Amino acid sequence: MNKIKVGVVGTGFIGPAHIEALRRLPNVEVAALCEVTAELAKEKADALGIARSYTFDELLKQDDIQAVHICTPNFLHYSQSKAALLAGKHVICEKPLAKDLAEAEELVELAAKTGLVNAVHFNLRYYPLARQMKSMREKGELGEIYSFIGSYLQDWLFYETDYNWRLEPDKSGDSRAIADIGSHLMDILEYITGLKTVAVLADFNTVHKTRKKPLKAVETYSGKLLQPEDYADVPINTEDHANVLLRFDNGNKGVITVSQVSAGRKNRMSLEISGSKKTFSWCSEAPNEMWIGNRDKANEILMRDPSLVNEDVRSTITFPGGHNEGFPDTSKQMFKEVYAAIAAGKQPENPTFPTFADGYRELLICERILESNKKEAWVTI
């Protein structure tokens, strides 16, 4: 087998998650790692068991590297994705695709012009029961959708001493909680329901208006604490918490809540979709079961099991029922579809995976949510 050689750019939290998922695909080899300096790249490559290390410009000169994963801070996504496409590499980019709509639109157009495979890492679509909800809705089992109630709650920025580059607008953009985890929620909403969000009304809250920035490096999710003299006070202008009312193209409504300051909620995305026939409810912290609500008979629990889900969902499941699959498996299942396209050499006409166009769509929604919060008014999309 001729394996597809991949270069991964960035080694924060998500870069190694990409690497682990890629290593589970039989036709892929993580051949190279890239970091901001040659020294750091070599250190990280050695730690992760990757033979070759480069700076970004050097990586793009490697003719045998066919695909590049952009796992860097948000402000680098546009320039690095553009450079990789121009170098003839297939690109898998972390979300958000860019910092503004103009950049995202340029990337969508460039990707289409090159014909190269392009994807945005909206991996949460790949929980099998998320696809099951989509499949059941497409088969008419949900009926007309009456409402969507969603939340994405975390606590990793609960304390004023919690700090990360995502708190700095020059690196992450003008929105934080909505752009970071709310983008996943908005993507999966439209993916499962088939609805389009046509207007939003947002209300943001910055709980910690000043945070204590560590003067020493602290890894994301590490739980490490420093001494008082190791911090500097920094004003915060992005949201810790957001509520958003939604209007859909079928005339019905929804609501989402996003928070990074909800104690005890480590990484909890919750969906409740009510239709004219049933209600679907699912939570990412218990991803292997789905609640199905009925009016005139007993409610049901569907367990993730390849023998119980719809036929078009089975490709997202590797293990038998009762053998739980979770967050790391979502990236593997997504990359499986992406690398089938890369093996074929071009972007499919109707991709099953999230593309740069999907990245543009979520950036558009997030920008309208941000505009709504500033205007304190409904904004159309």
Side-chain angles (χ1 to χ4, degrees):
M1 179 186 295
N2 291 322
K3 292 192 174 187
I4 300 165
K5 289 186 170 58
V6 180
V8 176
V9 187
T11 59
F13 160 67
I14 204 64
H18 280 236
I19 291 166
E20 190 274 338
L22 289 167
R23 282 173 163 166
R24 297 168 67 189
L25 301 181
N27 63 329
V28 174
E29 177 189 345
V30 182
L33 190 66
C34 167
E35 258 297 350
V36 65
T37 66
E39 293 75 20
L40 183 59
K42 178 70 165 62
E43 176 189 334
K44 294 291 187 177
D46 288 346
L48 292 164
I50 298 170
R52 296 152 59 187
S53 60
Y54 302 103
T55 58
F56 184 70
D57 291 342
E58 291 170 341
L59 176 68
L60 296 188
K61 294 175 183 176
Q62 308 306 309
D63 292 338
D64 64 329
I65 298 296
Q66 296 172 253
V68 173
H69 285 239
I70 307 298
C71 302
T72 49
N74 300 356
F75 73 101
L76 293 169
H77 292 178
Y78 160 74
S79 61
Q80 291 182 337
S81 293
K82 180 178 178 179
L85 287 171
L86 291 172
K89 313 296 186 187
H90 305 288
V91 179
I92 298 86
C93 184
E94 264 303 320
K95 49 79 195 163
L97 178 60
K99 281 188 69 178
D100 60 52
L101 286 173
E103 289 182 350
E105 186 174 17
E106 183 183 346
L107 289 177
V108 171
E109 291 173 354
L110 179 60
K113 183 179 178 180
T114 64
L116 292 163
V117 174
N118 58 92
V120 175
H121 192 229
F122 285 121
N123 58 304
L124 303 189
R125 292 185 184 190
Y126 284 81
Y127 281 109
L129 293 180
R131 186 166 288 190
Q132 174 70 11
M133 285 186 280
K134 172 182 168 67
S135 176
M136 291 176 69
R137 187 267 304 168
E138 289 173 339
K139 294 179 186 299
E141 297 179 50
L142 181 60
E144 180 190 356
I145 295 172
Y146 289 165
S147 71
F148 180 97
I149 302 170
S151 65
Y152 202 143
L153 310 177
Q154 298 177 328
D155 72 356
W156 70 287
L157 293 173
F158 181 71
Y159 295 115
E160 65 173 359
T161 51
D162 292 325
Y163 202 87
N164 181 268
W165 60 264
R166 293 184 183 280
L167 292 153
E168 300 173 4
D170 63 326
K171 296 183 177 66
S172 67
D174 293 332
S175 173
R176 180 185 8 115
I178 283 290
D180 182 14
I181 54 179
S183 60
H184 274 299
L185 193 55
M186 296 303 301
D187 176 74
I188 205 167
L189 183 170
E190 295 193 342
Y191 174 72
I192 292 172
T193 66
L195 299 175
K196 291 294 183 184
T197 305
V198 296
V200 294
L201 178 63
D203 188 22
F204 290 3
N205 187 25
T206 304
V207 173
H208 297 299
K209 298 187 171 50
T210 300
R211 286 183 180 266
K212 296 186 177 299
K213 181 178 181 178
L215 301 175
K216 299 178 180 178
V218 180
E219 291 182 8
T220 305
Y221 305 123
S222 67
K224 296 177 182 176
L225 295 177
L226 304 179
Q227 299 304 309
E229 62 272 17
D230 295 326
Y231 296 99
D233 288 343
V234 175
I236 300 299
N237 300 310
T238 54
E239 74 279 6
D240 291 316
H241 180 279
N243 297 310
V244 187
L245 296 177
L246 311 168
R247 291 175 179 165
F248 301 124
D249 58 354
N250 74 343
N252 288 323
K253 312 294 174 67
V255 60
I256 62 169
T257 296
V258 174
S259 174
Q260 295 177 320
V261 291
S262 294
R265 297 303 190 191
K266 304 306 177 185
N267 190 54
R268 186 182 192 271
M269 182 168 69
S270 178
L271 317 173
E272 185 147 324
I273 309 166
S274 293
S276 58
K277 296 181 180 178
K278 297 180 183 293
T279 293
F280 297 159
S281 183
W282 175 87
C283 172
S284 68
E285 289 189 346
N288 290 279
E289 62 181 53
M290 166 188 166
W291 183 86
I292 302 171
N294 300 295
R295 168 64 187 264
D296 297 319
K297 63 177 184 177
N299 297 328
E300 306 161 74
I301 298 290
L302 173 65
M303 301 298 292
R304 181 212 54 83
D305 185 322
S307 68
L308 298 177
V309 300
N310 292 349
E311 185 176 353
D312 58 337
V313 178
R314 290 172 191 159
S315 65
T316 64
I317 300 176
T318 299
F319 298 101
H323 298 75
N324 287 342
E325 292 174 279
F327 178 81
D329 301 281
T330 61
S331 295
K332 182 191 78 170
Q333 300 295 353
M334 176 180 160
F335 296 159
K336 185 170 68 177
E337 294 183 356
V338 171
Y339 278 87
I342 291 174
K346 63 179 182 179
Q347 187 82 344
E349 188 172 334
N350 295 299
T352 54
F353 52 84
T355 65
F356 279 14
D358 294 301
Y360 174 88
R361 172 69 184 168
E362 296 323 307
L363 199 62
L364 171 63
I365 295 172
C366 287
E367 288 209 1
R368 295 296 181 264
I369 290 173
L370 190 63
E371 181 184 349
S372 171
N373 176 69
K374 289 178 179 177
K375 291 181 175 179
E376 297 186 348
W378 281 97
V379 172
T380 58
I381 296 174

